């Protein structure tokens, strides 16, 4: 039975969802690219002949590649306005696209500028390449940086990424910082559009120093302070379902972190061989002053080893991150749809999200319903609806179509819908929800696939 306060909350109009800064951030990034193009344009008086066309194209692709490298690193800096405002999954997609764009620009710059120089000098491409690499200032470092960037790009390609471990991908990805550092200096010593132009040079230094400061602050100093102050350790590990375990973490003054239901941290467990990489796991219960809890499904080497953690294991955390929170709510009614271990952030929201809430949990079988006892207790306590979508005895999956969703929730289009689950599931559900008339602005999704 609902309380009086809960009934009032269900009837009260929802506050408007917090406006995402994504549009402003994108406008800023594209504005920077436009400034780079303007710099090249004003510094290009005339283009005559094939050599000029090639070197001119090489210059603009080089400038844009240098700008894209700074953007690429900035998107990796875990700045709160991006991670919590825009959303970690969207920032990750931006980073992936920026990475592909950066590699393309770098390769285009290398090919075009070498062809242009070869045409100017009347030399073969091989000879010109050796001359540039071996005799031009800072070019050996730039060549090494380019090689590293290409290697990072290759290992990030989907076909390769799916065949390598997260640990290998993570450590190779960190080499991006070194690649950008190595390539930076030749931009100033050899870049015609920067060399001899004090304002342009000052802008370039400010861009790179600013990005470096963001990385230093948010990826090093802030996590160091967090972990020195809060001193997280594993308190206990509990099985929840086949291959699924909850980890209770104890620390000091955890309320200062201002973590919210629906958010996640990046975790390093300094034991059981799990301290080499940080992995995102969502909070599976509302955080308390001295405790937090995550629930992890064994999907890889790192997550499978979580069950072996022992009480007292030290924990290194970074966060909180993510925007799958109450701030996105625009309606007094909400539908939470989880698949598999995607239940973890939605379980915390199911307990705390104001208004009329329905949770739909997709799993293979009843024994795969992690945290089912807690969900049923929450549903009973707050008078919320809890629906399960389980496979039939013959293994057939239930169809979550627009029709079936409407049958379960007749006024579906008036709900905010929070979705968490595998990418394919989330994509299919999104299409079903749009067909059912749910506005795009009311469909909230965050993916933690790396």
């Amino acid at each position: 039975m609902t309380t009086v306060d809960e009934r009032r909350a269900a009837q009260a109009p929802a506050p408007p969802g917090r406006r995402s800064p994504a549009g402003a951030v994108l406008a800023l990034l594209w504005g920077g690219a436009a400034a780079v193009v303007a710099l090249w344009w004003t510094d290009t008086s005339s283009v005559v002949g094939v050599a000029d066309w090639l070197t001119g194209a090489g210059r603009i692709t080089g400038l844009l590649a240098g700008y894209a490298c700074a953007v690429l690193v900035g998107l990796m800096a875990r700045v709160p306005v991006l991670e919590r405002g825009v959303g970690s999954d969207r920032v990750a997609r931006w980073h992936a696209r920026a990475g592909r764009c950066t590699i393309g620009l770098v390769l285009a710059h290398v090919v075009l500028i070498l062809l242009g120089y070869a045409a100017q000098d009347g030399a073969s491409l091989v000879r010109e390449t050796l001359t540039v690499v071996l005799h031009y200032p800072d070019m050996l470092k730039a060549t090494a940086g380019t090689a590293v960037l290409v290697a990072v790009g290759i290992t990030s390609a989907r076909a390769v990424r799916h065949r390598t471990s997260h640990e290998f991908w993570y450590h190779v990805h960190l080499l991006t910082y070194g690649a950008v550092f190595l390539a930076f200096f030749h931009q100033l010593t050899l870049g015609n559009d920067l060399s001899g132009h004090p304002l342009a040079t000052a802008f370039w230094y400010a861009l790179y120093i600013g990005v470096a400061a963001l990385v230093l602050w948010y990826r090093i100093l802030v996590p160091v302070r967090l972990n020195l102050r809060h001193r997280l350790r594993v308190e206990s590990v509990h099985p929840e379902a086949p291959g699924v375990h909850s980890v209770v973490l104890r620390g000091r003054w955890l309320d200062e972190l201002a973590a919210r239901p629906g958010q996640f941290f990046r975790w390093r467990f300094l034991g059981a061989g799990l301290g080499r990489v940080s992995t995102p796991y969502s909070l599976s219960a509302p955080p308390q002053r001295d405790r937090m809890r995550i629930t992890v499904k064994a999907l890889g080497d790192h997550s499978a080893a979580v069950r072996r953690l022992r009480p007292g294991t030290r924990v290194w955390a970074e966060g909180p991150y993510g925007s799958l929170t109450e701030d996105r709510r625009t309606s007094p009614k909400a539908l939470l749809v989880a698949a598999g271990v995607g239940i973890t952030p939605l379980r915390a929201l199911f307990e705390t999200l104001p208004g009329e809430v329905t949770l739909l949990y997709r799993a293979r079988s009843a024994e795969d319903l992690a945290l089912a006892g807690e969900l049923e207790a929450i549903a009973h306590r707050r008078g919320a609806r809890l629906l399960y979508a389980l496979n039939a005895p013959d293994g057939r999956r239930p169809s979550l179509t627009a029709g079936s969703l409407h049958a379960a929730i007749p006024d579906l289009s008036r709900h905010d819908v929070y979705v968490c689950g595998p990418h394919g599931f989330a994509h299919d559900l999104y299409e079903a929800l749009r067909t059912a008339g749910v506005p795009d602005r009311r469909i909230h999704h965050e993916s933690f696939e790396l």
Side-chain angles (χ1 to χ4, degrees):
M1 181 179 294
T2 58
T3 66
V4 173
D5 289 341
E6 286 171 338
R7 285 196 297 272
R8 288 175 179 169
Q11 295 167 359
R18 181 177 295 177
R19 187 177 181 86
S20 169
V25 173
L26 285 176
L28 179 64
L29 296 180
W30 283 112
V36 169
V37 173
L39 171 65
W40 169 80
W41 181 263
T42 57
D43 199 46
T44 302
S45 56
S46 62
V47 179
V48 180
V50 173
D52 276 3
W53 279 105
L54 289 171
T55 54
R59 283 170 45 220
I60 184 56
T61 52
L63 280 171
L64 288 172
Y67 174 74
C69 282
V71 170
L72 193 67
V73 173
L75 292 174
M76 295 170 66
R78 297 177 185 165
V79 180
V81 70
L82 298 177
E83 296 286 334
R84 302 173 196 172
V86 176
S88 297
D89 60 333
R90 183 183 289 187
V91 173
R93 290 194 295 272
W94 289 358
H95 175 72
R97 292 168 187 163
R100 291 190 290 270
C101 180
T102 302
I103 297 298
L105 287 168
V106 166
L107 293 177
H109 166 66
V110 170
V111 172
L112 289 168
I113 209 72
L114 289 175
L115 287 173
Y117 286 178
Q120 284 179 347
D121 297 340
S124 69
L125 182 60
V126 173
R127 180 178 177 181
E128 192 67 32
T129 300
L130 292 174
T131 299
V132 169
V133 171
L134 298 178
H135 300 292
Y136 281 37
D138 296 314
M139 276 307 302
L140 280 175
K141 289 184 289 187
T143 302
T146 299
V148 172
L149 273 178
V150 172
V152 172
I154 291 172
T155 58
S156 298
R158 182 168 298 182
V160 178
R161 175 72 186 90
H162 290 169
R163 289 173 172 79
T164 58
S165 68
H166 171 63
E167 291 80 3
F168 175 79
W169 171 86
Y170 175 81
H171 287 109
V172 171
H173 221 63
L174 289 179
L175 295 176
T176 302
Y177 296 119
V180 172
F181 174 78
L182 289 170
F184 172 74
F185 298 98
H186 92 287
Q187 299 175 48
L188 298 174
T189 55
L190 297 176
N192 291 338
D193 301 285
L194 298 177
S195 179
H197 296 73
L199 287 178
T201 301
F203 167 77
W204 218 247
Y205 269 114
L207 175 66
Y208 273 79
I209 291 174
V211 167
L214 291 176
V215 172
L216 175 64
W217 183 258
Y218 289 112
R219 295 210 64 165
I220 299 176
L221 298 180
V222 169
V224 166
R225 180 189 181 278
L226 183 157
N227 289 280
L228 290 178
R229 177 161 178 76
H230 300 290
R231 298 186 183 181
L232 285 159
R233 291 183 180 269
V234 173
E235 182 176 88
S236 58
V237 180
H238 309 282
E240 300 287 1
V244 181
H245 289 76
S246 285
V247 182
V248 178
L249 305 145
R250 176 182 284 274
R252 309 183 304 172
W253 311 304
L254 300 183
D255 53 320
E256 294 179 1
L257 295 173
R260 308 183 64 190
Q263 291 188 310
F264 68 95
F265 286 75
R266 298 178 187 273
W267 307 93
R268 294 176 190 265
F269 300 100
L270 307 182
L274 301 180
R276 295 188 301 274
V277 297
S278 63
T279 304
Y281 296 124
S282 296
L283 299 176
S284 61
Q288 302 175 21
R289 178 175 174 79
D290 61 346
R291 286 183 179 85
M292 294 191 292
R293 188 185 73 177
I294 59 175
T295 300
V296 180
K297 184 173 183 178
L299 297 173
D301 294 341
H302 189 280
S303 54
V306 165
R307 65 182 178 83
R308 299 197 299 269
L309 291 172
R310 295 291 178 261
T313 298
R314 294 175 58 196
V315 180
W316 184 274
E318 299 175 40
Y321 302 124
S323 61
L324 197 70
T325 65
E326 180 188 341
D327 285 344
R328 290 193 177 185
R329 189 173 67 106
T330 63
S331 166
K333 299 182 178 183
L335 169 64
L336 316 180
V337 187
V341 78
I343 189 61
T344 53
L346 299 191
R347 180 261 177 250
L349 282 172
F350 190 47
E351 181 175 347
T352 60
L353 198 64
E356 181 183 318
V357 182
T358 300
L359 172 62
L360 174 60
Y361 188 0
R362 166 79 182 94
R364 286 192 298 268
S365 64
E367 69 175 3
D368 292 310
L369 293 169
L371 308 172
E374 295 181 16
L375 296 172
E376 290 165 5
I378 293 169
H380 177 74
R381 182 171 65 251
R382 64 176 298 175
R385 296 180 67 197
L386 176 60
L387 308 174
Y388 296 135
L390 305 178
N391 289 1
D394 61 1
R396 286 181 300 167
R397 295 184 176 185
S399 180
L400 297 181
T401 63
S404 64
L405 291 170
H406 255 308
I409 306 169
D411 59 344
L412 178 61
S413 62
R414 297 170 58 191
H415 286 63
D416 278 301
V417 184
Y418 290 74
V419 181
C420 194
H423 176 74
F425 167 84
H427 178 270
D428 293 343
L429 183 65
Y430 173 82
E431 296 298 329
L433 290 168
R434 295 293 288 123
T435 302
V438 181
D440 186 75
R441 69 181 184 277
R442 288 188 175 176
I443 303 175
H444 316 302
H445 170 246
E446 202 160 50
S447 170
F448 306 110
E449 292 186 351
L450 298 173

